[in-house]
């Protein structure tokens, strides 16, 4: 994990105080010989057009790719999410477009969100993560690296009176 979605707008800040730096551009993806820049405003048409251009999404597939991203960003009812629970993200994407570079890009997202590929990712879980990230526009990098996150949780537990030992590796 190299960035935190929703940082100050999410549950991490409700539990622990993790200092962070906002990222803009948010992420650079290296996909299929191309480098694509993801900005915080990935729900806007211009940002998507630039992302698809840099990622190498074929021009004839960009409208389907944009439709997929727009669909991922829309609010869904609990019933709609339940219906997508058993649908793989790969299968859901195929309704919109079949595009190898977009598949690679979405594999990057799925890997960061769930640490699995789009073939193993639930379309519902991906939708929740992606739409929340796009809406909040709050990607950041934790100062002190990602180890700052579990250390902050341990600090909270210690303040609550629990006995927590920080493993020796973390004290290095």
């Amino acid at each position: 994990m190299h960035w935190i979605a929703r940082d100050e707008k999410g549950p991490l800040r409700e539990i622990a105080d993790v200092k962070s730096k906002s990222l803009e551009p948010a992420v650079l993806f290296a996909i299929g010989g191309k480098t694509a820049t993801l900005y915080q405003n990935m729900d806007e048409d211009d940002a998507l057009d630039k992302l698809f251009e840099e990622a190498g999404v074929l021009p004839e597939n960009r409208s389907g790719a944009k439709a997929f991203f727009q669909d991922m960003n829309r609010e869904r009812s609990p019933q709609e999410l339940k219906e997508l629970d058993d649908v793989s993200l790969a299968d859901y994407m195929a309704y919109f477009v079949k595009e190898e570079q977009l598949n690679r890009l979405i594999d990057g997202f799925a890997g960061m969100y769930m640490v699995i590929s789009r073939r193993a990712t639930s379309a519902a879980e991906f939708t929740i993560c992606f739409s929340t990230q796009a809406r909040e526009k709050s990607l950041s990098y934790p100062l002190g690296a990602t180890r700052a996150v579990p250390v902050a949780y341990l600090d909270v537990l210690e303040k609550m009176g629990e006995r927590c030992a920080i493993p020796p590796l973390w004290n290095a």
Side-chain angles (χ1 to χ4, degrees):
M1 175 173 65
H2 294 285
W3 48 263
I4 307 292
R6 298 179 60 211
D7 184 32
E8 75 277 352
K9 297 178 182 178
L12 179 61
R13 283 294 173 101
E14 293 172 17
I15 297 168
D17 183 26
V18 178
K19 306 284 188 248
S20 60
K21 179 183 186 316
S22 183
L23 300 175
E24 190 64 54
V27 178
L28 294 176
F29 283 98
I31 30 176
K34 306 269 185 181
T35 300
T37 307
L38 176 70
Y39 292 93
Q40 299 273 13
N41 63 341
M42 70 178 156
D43 57 340
E44 297 174 12
D45 285 346
D46 289 344
L48 288 177
D49 290 339
K50 184 176 180 181
L51 177 64
F52 299 150
E53 173 74 27
E54 289 179 356
V57 173
L58 296 173
E60 61 268 23
N61 293 333
R62 290 182 189 164
S63 64
K66 189 178 286 188
F68 169 74
F69 270 70
Q70 290 168 337
D71 186 72
M72 288 291 103
N73 281 326
R74 72 180 176 84
E75 291 284 329
R76 291 199 182 353
S77 70
Q79 181 58 37
E80 286 177 296
L81 289 171
K82 184 175 176 157
E83 291 168 7
L84 290 176
D85 233 2
D86 294 327
V87 177
S88 79
L89 180 58
D91 289 343
Y92 192 74
M93 284 178 65
Y95 292 122
F96 295 90
V97 66
K98 293 180 181 172
E99 162 64 54
E100 190 54 38
Q101 285 296 92
L102 182 64
N103 289 343
R104 290 176 176 146
L105 178 65
I106 298 303
D107 269 335
F109 275 102
M112 288 184 290
Y113 292 151
M114 273 59 98
V115 194
I116 53 179
S117 75
R118 67 183 155 39
R119 290 178 193 89
T121 296
S122 156
E125 290 297 322
F126 185 86
T127 299
I128 292 166
C129 293
F130 187 86
S131 64
T132 303
Q133 177 184 326
R135 181 178 59 253
E136 299 290 348
K137 294 177 177 55
S138 184
L139 288 174
S140 63
Y141 185 80
L143 299 180
T146 53
R147 78 181 284 279
V149 175
V151 168
Y153 280 119
L154 288 171
D155 288 345
V156 168
L157 289 172
E158 286 175 353
K159 288 175 185 167
M160 294 171 58
E162 299 294 330
R163 299 186 66 88
C164 296
I166 298 176
L169 176 63
W170 291 8
N171 289 326

